[in-house]
């Protein structure tokens, strides 16, 4: 099965209005469409602009798609090759990663740093859509008021993942805020609350609050260091599919739950890929951060179902999703 053509599309889909107010543009995304002489098309998606990947794409033309090792290739070609292989053999992509352990993958609603009343309004939207968890970019000066208003607007069953991106900075600040937030009963975790160069601070903070403490990590070795330091209750895993699988296995050995962010503020192609991977990770029980709904549109025609805060794991061969080329051309900028 020869690769006959690879198209790379730079896509810019604007964020939804509440996010666009603060971030009119999020980051560059490239969608890959890999065609074969047998009519099978594989899809991939990655951050970055097409020129970063054009030389590699050209090197694949004429090669046998099934003879290449997908995991030896850079993104977005790993995903596209797995999509082709899955379609060729009649199996969904998750089969390449192990046994499926779930049919639905939970996901968080999401907000950037906003004014408290704006975040509360978004929480109401999220709750009405069926989400039960809301991850937000938190700031020390207004997080308590934000969570209070979110609880009022979305209800006590709507939980909040607090992600300050280390802007609580010191354990004394984070511990004070945790003490003020605990009575609300809705804070699901603190992710990267303080500076990350001192794991002892995370262990200390963990001893000061009942709110679970999480780190956003990628390298399996860093997960192991955090576990040895006994400084986390949860871990948010980023990186390639292979790296996420290994890092999750390290966390699972210590009975630490995780959630996954392979794409983040991505489109549906990367989200579908991540959903396939997460379907095979036993301890990926926490709501993921794959967030195509933060944009006004997606480039998928079908295959990715989001309902009541969960993505359904596609069962069709390959990724199980198809591009809407009309939307690709509408939002294509390169």
């Amino acid at each position: 099965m020869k690769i006959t053509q690879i198209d790379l599309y730079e896509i810019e889909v604007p964020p939804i209005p509440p996010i666009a107010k603060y971030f009119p543009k999020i980051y560059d995304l490239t969608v890959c469409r890999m065609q074969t002489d047998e009519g099978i098309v594989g899809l991939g998606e990655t951050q970055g602009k097409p020129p970063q990947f054009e030389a590699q794409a050209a090197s694949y033309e004429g090669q046998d798609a099934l003879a290449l090792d997908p995991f030896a290739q850079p993104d977005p070609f790993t995903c596209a090759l797995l999509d082709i292989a899955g379609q060729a053999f009649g199996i969904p992509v998750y089969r390449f990663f192990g046994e499926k352990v779930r049919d639905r993958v939970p996901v968080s609603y999401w907000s950037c740093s906003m004014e408290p009343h704006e975040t509360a309004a978004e929480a109401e939207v999220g709750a009405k859509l069926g989400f039960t968890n809301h991850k937000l970019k938190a700031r020390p000066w207004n997080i308590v008021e934000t969570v209070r208003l979110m609880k009022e607007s979305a209800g006590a069953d709507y939980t909040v993942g607090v992600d300050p991106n280390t802007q609580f900075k010191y354990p004394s600040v984070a511990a004070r805020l945790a003490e003020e937030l605990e009575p609300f009963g809705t804070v699901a975790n603190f992710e990267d609350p303080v500076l990350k160069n001192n794991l002892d601070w995370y262990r200390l903070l963990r001893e000061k609050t009942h709110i679970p403490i999480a780190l956003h990590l990628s390298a399996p070795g860093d997960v192991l260091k955090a576990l040895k330091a006994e400084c986390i209750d949860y871990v948010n895993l980023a990186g390639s599919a292979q790296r996420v699988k290994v890092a999750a296995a390290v966390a699972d050995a210590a009975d630490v739950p995780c959630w996954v962010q392979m794409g983040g503020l991505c489109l549906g192609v990367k989200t579908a890929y991540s959903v396939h991977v997460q379907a095979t990770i036993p301890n990926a029980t926490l709501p993921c951060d794959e967030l195509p709904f933060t944009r006004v549109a997606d480039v998928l025609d079908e295959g990715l179902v989001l309902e009541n805060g969960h993505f359904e794991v596609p069962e069709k061969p390959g990724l199980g999703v198809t591009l809407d080329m009309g939307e690709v051309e509408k939002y294509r900028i390169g």
Side-chain angles (χ1 to χ4, degrees), residues 306-322:
L306 172 61
E307 186 175 15
N308 292 326
H310 290 76
F311 291 112
E312 294 183 10
V313 179
E315 288 292 344
K316 291 182 178 179
L319 281 180
V321 300
T322 57

Side-chain angles (χ1 to χ4, degrees), residues 101-109 130-133 258-261 271 274-275 278-279 281-291 293 305-313:
V101 296
R102 60 182 57 85
D103 297 319
R104 301 165 76 234
V105 171
V107 57
S108 296
Y109 203 61
F131 291 86
T132 58
N133 179 265
C258 67
W259 74 92
V260 172
Q261 183 181 324
T271 298
S274 179
V275 166
Q278 291 179 69
I281 299 177
N283 58 325
T285 56
L286 304 172
C288 73
D289 290 344
E290 311 300 4
L291 310 166
F293 47 82
V305 177
L306 172 61
E307 186 175 15
N308 292 326
H310 290 76
F311 291 112
E312 294 183 10
V313 179

Side-chain angles (χ1 to χ4, degrees), residues 108-128 131-138 142-163 181 184-188:
S108 296
Y109 203 61
W110 187 88
S111 293
C112 61
S113 179
M114 304 175 177
E115 292 299 318
H117 71 277
E118 295 174 312
T119 307
E122 283 299 283
E124 185 174 3
V125 171
K128 288 180 178 178
F131 291 86
T132 58
N133 179 265
H134 192 130
K135 181 174 176 179
L136 57 89
K137 296 300 182 182
N142 65 12
I143 183 56
V144 176
E145 176 69 2
T146 297
V147 171
R148 182 183 71 80
L149 293 178
M150 291 177 75
K151 184 174 181 178
E152 291 178 359
S153 65
D157 293 333
Y158 193 78
T159 61
V160 181
V162 175
D163 179 12
L181 288 166
F184 293 115
T186 58
V187 177

Side-chain angles (χ1 to χ4, degrees), residues 159-173:
T159 61
V160 181
V162 175
D163 179 12
N165 292 117
T166 74
Q167 290 202 26
F168 294 172
K169 200 167 184 179
Y170 301 116
S172 58
V173 175

Side-chain angles (χ1 to χ4, degrees), residues 45-62:
E45 177 191 329
T46 192
Q47 291 184 32
K49 294 177 176 288
Q52 297 173 239
F53 311 103
E54 286 172 350
Q56 185 73 40
S59 72
Y60 294 129
E61 292 191 16

